[in-house]
Amino acid sequence: TASSFSSFSKNNLIDSLEKILPAKTGKEKFNVLGELAYQYCFVNTDKALEYGNAELKVAAEMGDSLMIAQAWNDLGAAYVSRGELEKSIQFTSIALRVREKYGDSLLVANSLNKIGYAYLNMGVLEKSLTAFVRAASIYDQQKNFQYLGITYNNMGSVFLRQGNID
């Protein structure tokens, strides 16, 4: 079945990444750790947090602020998957502030979208909508229609929860 294939493919990807990790250093190690943190979000949040914290450590050792922000953002994703939404917002907000400081608007929008999603799941709809509107504006300016569509869908979820069917 399709879901069996998806699970099989994800397990193969994780296994492959874990096999190559010991040979990686610097930015390559950071990238592999980040991908492992992301992949494990869907199957084992303890492992996602383990790899996310290792990713943060590598970024801090390298002293790269944007890499550190990416690690905070990845940890935020792990906490969303774990259902610890306030922690997700806390970690993703750190990433957001760094990304805003360095002016990478697409990454700012990605963090805003993640924050909006966490607020949506917490039922804090006004803050959720505010984050989604900011993200949608950036995606629209960047002509990133894939993420713009996802963000509009998320905004629709807010309106639906508010009872605003129109």
Side-chain angles (χ1 to χ4, degrees):
T1 66
S3 63
S4 297
F5 177 74
S6 176
S7 176
F8 176 76
S9 296
K10 185 173 292 295
N11 289 337
N12 281 345
L13 174 61
I14 289 171
D15 290 346
S16 297
L17 290 168
E18 286 180 327
K19 284 179 186 173
I20 65 168
L21 180 60
K24 300 298 179 186
T25 60
K27 189 163 181 148
E28 286 182 344
K29 182 175 184 176
F30 169 83
N31 288 333
V32 172
L33 288 167
E35 187 62 28
L36 282 164
Y38 174 77
Q39 293 298 327
Y40 268 116
C41 279
F42 306 105
V43 293
N44 182 333
T45 55
D46 289 336
K47 291 287 267 183
L49 291 171
E50 177 185 325
Y51 283 117
N53 282 309
E55 176 190 17
L56 180 59
K57 183 180 177 188
V58 169
E61 288 169 356
M62 294 180 70
D64 185 311
S65 296
L66 288 175
M67 288 171 65
I68 292 169
Q70 180 62 45
W72 283 116
N73 201 67
D74 291 345
L75 283 165
Y79 281 112
V80 154
S81 294
R82 193 178 194 128
E84 295 182 41
L85 302 173
E86 288 180 11
K87 269 192 173 178
S88 174
I89 291 168
Q90 175 188 358
F91 284 46
T92 308
S93 292
I94 294 168
L96 175 63
R97 286 191 298 273
V98 172
R99 289 170 166 181
E100 286 174 329
K101 178 181 174 183
Y102 286 93
D104 191 325
S105 60
L106 189 57
L107 293 177
V108 166
N110 291 347
S111 290
L112 286 166
N113 216 8
K114 190 171 289 145
I115 289 168
Y117 182 78
Y119 277 128
L120 173 63
N121 285 304
M122 291 172 67
V124 183
L125 302 180
E126 289 304 316
K127 286 186 177 183
S128 176
L129 190 57
T130 298
F132 288 143
V133 167
R134 277 189 65 203
S137 175
I138 293 168
Y139 290 137
D140 189 42
Q141 290 171 5
Q142 296 284 322
K143 307 243 185 282
N144 189 319
F145 299 115
Q146 177 183 358
Y147 283 106
L148 181 60
I150 291 167
T151 305
Y152 281 149
N153 188 61
N154 290 338
M155 290 167 66
S157 295
V158 172
F159 293 131
L160 186 61
R161 284 213 189 161
Q162 290 175 329
N164 185 353
I165 305 289
D166 294 333

